[in-house]
Amino acid sequence: MDKVCAIFGGSRGIGRAVAQLMARKGYRLAIIARNLEGAKAAAGALGGDHLAFSCDVAKEHDVQNTFEEMEKHLGRVNFLVNAAGINRDSLLVRTKTEDMVSQLHTNLLGSMLTCKAAMRAMIQQQGGSIVNVGFVHTDMTKDLKEEHLKKKIPLGRFGETIEVAHAVVFLLESPYVTGHVLVVDGGLQLIL
């Protein structure tokens, strides 16, 4: 099986860290982001023949077209990483309905749409891996009140993108691990 991986949200944060690690391990990568220039910059920084694509994961037609283009230029995708996401955190009473809908469409529906598209190819080739990631300290979370939150994490700090990237690659490369939720949270769930 070829090592072709699509990384949605691969231009920044966790997705970019995953891409850097996977490039060093010899994967052929598709770096996908809404912003094509950002995706191209991230893909170019990896060296090699990695490709960049623009896609709004909240739009099924965009997702389908992106998978068709990836297959045309890279071959069938057999590894998928969903790291695309937006953050519209605010007090619920202050959050606009359109922000809630936008966040649901990108963070939830988007992952479902990319999984649906990837699974078609994975079923045909009788194999593949998908990892959906959460968040750690990135540009997307920079507006959170960090000091208050860090006090609740037993390790006393936010995770780094590379720490999550190692967990993602572990899951992708572990053929007998399936349907598993691997919590990478510095021990936060231990106190909740």
Side-chain angles (χ1 to χ4, degrees):
M1 185 181 334
D2 289 335
K3 292 167 67 170
V4 176
C5 182
I7 305 175
F8 284 83
S11 66
R12 299 180 0 196
I14 295 170
R16 188 174 188 140
V18 170
Q20 291 166 341
L21 187 56
M22 294 183 81
R24 287 195 300 264
K25 293 172 97 26
Y27 287 80
R28 294 176 59 216
L29 303 175
I31 306 300
I32 305 111
R34 279 189 194 168
N35 179 311
L36 183 58
E37 293 308 313
K40 284 181 178 178
L46 298 172
D49 59 350
H50 309 293
L51 299 180
F53 298 92
S54 174
C55 179
D56 181 347
V57 295
K59 297 178 181 173
E60 188 169 15
H61 186 69
D62 263 18
V63 171
Q64 290 172 346
N65 287 343
T66 301
F67 271 88
E68 289 170 11
E69 288 298 308
M70 287 187 291
E71 188 167 331
K72 188 186 312 180
H73 296 288
L74 289 171
R76 283 194 179 155
V77 171
N78 39 37
F79 297 93
L80 168 64
V81 176
N82 279 314
I86 60 173
N87 184 14
R88 302 285 187 261
D89 282 346
S90 182
L91 289 175
L92 186 59
V93 296
R94 293 184 189 159
T95 304
K96 295 177 185 171
T97 301
E98 57 267 19
D99 285 342
M100 288 185 249
V101 170
S102 177
Q103 193 166 357
L104 283 170
H105 280 190
T106 300
N107 298 0
L108 178 61
L109 180 63
S111 292
M112 294 171 75
L113 292 173
T114 58
C115 287
K116 179 181 175 182
M119 286 176 61
R120 288 185 183 123
M122 291 177 183
I123 288 169
Q124 289 177 348
Q125 63 195 11
Q126 297 181 345
S129 295
I130 299 172
V131 175
N132 298 308
V133 299
F135 72 87
V136 291
H137 185 63
T138 64
D139 286 346
M140 191 173 92
T141 60
K142 70 179 183 264
D143 294 328
L144 296 177
K145 302 210 180 326
E146 291 183 21
E147 291 309 313
H148 173 69
L149 293 172
K150 279 194 242 182
K151 290 176 184 173
K152 294 183 177 188
I153 300 171
L155 290 183
R157 65 178 179 84
F158 283 110
E160 297 295 328
T161 55
I162 192 65
E163 293 170 317
V164 177
H166 283 288
V168 168
V169 173
F170 164 76
L171 290 171
L172 289 173
E173 294 183 337
S174 300
Y176 206 64
V177 175
T178 187
H180 184 71
V181 176
L182 178 61
V183 179
V184 183
D185 69 355
L188 183 60
Q189 77 166 0
L190 298 173
I191 61 167
L192 295 179

